Amino acid sequence: MRVAVVSESFLPTVNGVTTSVLRVLDHLAAAGHEAIVVCPDAGAPAEYAGFRIHQVPSVAYRQFPVGLPSPQVQRILARFEPDVLHAASPFLLGAQAIAAANRLAVPSVAVYQTDVAGFARRNGLGMTSAIAWKYVRWVHDGADLTLVPSAASEYDLRTAGVRTLARWGRGVDLERYHPNNRRTPAAIALRDQLSPDGELVVGYVGRIAPEKQVERLRALRGIPGLHLAIVGDGPARAAVSRELRGMPVTWLGRLGGADLSAAYASFDIFAHTGTEETFGQTIQEAHASGVPVVAPRAGGPIDLVEHGVDGLLVQPSDDRALRAAVGMLAADAPLRFRMGEAGRRAVLGRSWDAVCSELVAHYGSVISGARTRVQRGGRQRAYS
């Protein structure tokens, strides 16, 4: 199978979209498929996993490289002659790629990963929520199939009028994130740093940006014996620091690889604060690490946290509920242990290999559908 992956984000930018694309490429390479990547010009490597990376013109907008419309996109696709287009979190570049694929009679799969309406509203793109959702519908209706990561995002897209939807979640590295990491020298050393006097460590992992609402951790102020550990960086770092001033906090910065797995292993409780997540990958990583989760009952976390079993769901934006949930887990070590074990069991079937195999099956379904339309003399859609 020949797969053209068009992504709004790629290396060296590291975020949920990039990470998912990398794991997909790893899977395609291991399975012997052929692929290319088209992404905004932001210093990407020339290749990844043996696949060529094509960069197209972009502009920087609030620290994000944004791909611009370019005739290169259709030329790249035409030269590669893909069997299927994978549009990762399509916005401007992805929309153009889907339109080009339709002109070339190439079936396409769009992967919904970013709350475009929320992004437009927060970042001053001059789009009201209604206009943004109309744009989302236009983009995704151009694709043969849109894959959504959660029940909440499926509801949002169906409400917006997107018609062809299927569920596709995200995988988690079950070897990198493992409860046994607690016994590694790196995790033991970090734990000694974060909990020198036996403090309970409440951890957060993710981008520190307004939509992540990390400042909500201020609700934990005054709970005795707690220490906050925050992994990540971003434009709201200074504002969150002001909100948490005077609290016992260790800022660990951006971490990856073994350092990140050691961080998860040093946590007693994982606190997820954002209410606008389409999925919530860090929740899966915490569960794989055997750490119970406290998260808002909103968006992706609804599908990932079984309330009372592997974590606690609280009412969105209710700081008192967040404080009560963390306080309950802090006071009950056996409960934390049981929930941590349950979280690990919950993700055992979500390896990246299993999840990417599902994705390839979705590729196959749209390819088969396109061939059937051709055999019946159906006309391929054309978008400009």
Side-chain angles (χ1 to χ4, degrees):
M1 187 181 298
R2 295 171 66 82
V3 183
V5 178
V6 178
S7 180
E8 304 288 345
S9 177
F10 198 67
L11 297 172
T13 302
V14 178
N15 53 33
V17 175
T18 300
T19 299
S20 294
V21 168
L22 296 181
R23 298 294 79 79
V24 169
L25 295 173
D26 290 338
H27 182 84
L28 293 175
H33 299 291
E34 298 179 62
I36 59 169
V37 176
V38 181
C39 63
D41 185 357
E47 65 173 41
Y48 179 85
F51 301 138
R52 185 175 175 186
I53 312 301
H54 299 268
Q55 298 185 77
V56 298
S58 68
V59 295
Y61 184 82
R62 299 197 178 189
Q63 301 182 339
F64 290 99
V66 177
L68 298 174
S70 168
Q72 286 181 251
V73 174
Q74 182 160 333
R75 289 198 295 265
I76 292 168
L77 295 179
R79 286 197 300 268
F80 182 64
E81 298 183 338
D83 296 306
V84 64
L85 170 78
H86 172 132
S89 194
F91 186 47
L92 297 180
L93 180 59
Q96 183 187 8
I98 291 169
N102 278 304
R103 288 191 291 269
L104 296 169
V106 174
S108 57
V109 172
V111 180
Y112 182 77
Q113 287 181 256
T114 303
D115 175 10
V116 173
F119 179 86
R121 183 177 62 252
R122 288 187 303 270
N123 290 279
L125 296 183
M127 300 170 75
T128 66
S129 182
I131 293 172
W133 278 115
K134 286 181 180 179
Y135 181 77
V136 169
R137 182 178 63 199
W138 176 79
V139 171
H140 285 271
D141 269 350
D144 291 86
L145 177 66
T146 290
L147 299 179
V148 294
S150 65
S153 55
E154 181 175 2
Y155 174 81
D156 287 342
L157 268 74
R158 287 200 187 282
T159 301
V162 181
R163 293 166 293 184
T164 53
L165 300 173
R167 290 283 289 278
W168 181 64
R170 302 292 177 268
V172 62
D173 190 329
L174 296 172
E175 295 180 5
R176 172 170 291 175
Y177 304 108
H178 197 288
N180 289 344
N181 290 333
R182 294 172 188 152
R183 298 194 290 268
T184 64
I188 292 170
L190 182 56
R191 180 74 188 192
D192 288 343
Q193 174 190 344
L194 299 174
S195 178
D197 298 312
E199 294 89 344
L200 199 80
V201 179
V202 178
Y204 166 85
V205 176
R207 195 161 178 266
I208 304 176
E211 68 272 15
K212 301 297 184 181
Q213 299 172 274
V214 186
E215 67 278 1
R216 292 191 61 211
L217 293 174
R218 67 189 170 221
L220 308 183
R221 186 184 300 275
I223 296 179
L226 285 192
H227 190 98
L228 298 180
I230 298 179
V231 177
D233 202 354
R237 166 70 167 79
V240 173
S241 181
R242 287 192 297 271
E243 291 286 339
L244 303 183
R245 185 177 293 131
M247 296 179 67
V249 182
T250 297
W251 299 85
L252 295 172
R254 294 180 183 177
L255 299 178
D259 292 333
L260 181 56
S261 62
Y264 278 112
S266 72
F267 298 162
D268 295 293
I269 300 168
F270 181 79
H272 179 84
T273 51
T275 60
E276 301 178 11
E277 296 291 330
T278 58
F279 188 63
Q281 179 66 2
T282 57
I283 291 175
Q284 290 202 135
E285 292 167 355
H287 274 160
S289 302
V291 181
V293 172
V294 175
R297 191 185 294 275
I302 295 174
D303 294 333
L304 298 179
V305 179
E306 186 174 358
H307 181 71
V309 176
D310 49 36
L312 298 171
L313 292 171
V314 301
Q315 287 303 308
S317 303
D318 186 338
D319 286 354
R320 288 182 297 179
L322 173 62
R323 180 184 179 90
V326 171
M328 184 172 78
L329 288 174
D332 194 335
L335 179 61
R336 294 198 304 272
F337 180 77
R338 289 196 301 272
M339 285 188 170
E341 281 195 324
R344 175 71 186 180
R345 289 194 299 271
V347 297
L348 289 178
R350 301 181 199 159
S351 69
W352 273 112
D353 184 59
V355 168
C356 288
S357 293
E358 292 176 12
L359 176 63
V360 172
H362 286 302
Y363 291 163
S365 72
V366 298
I367 292 170
S368 296
R371 288 172 179 165
T372 299
R373 287 195 298 273
V374 170
Q375 291 167 358
R376 292 176 178 173
R379 190 164 55 131
Q380 189 75 15
R381 293 168 300 181
Y383 290 75
S384 59

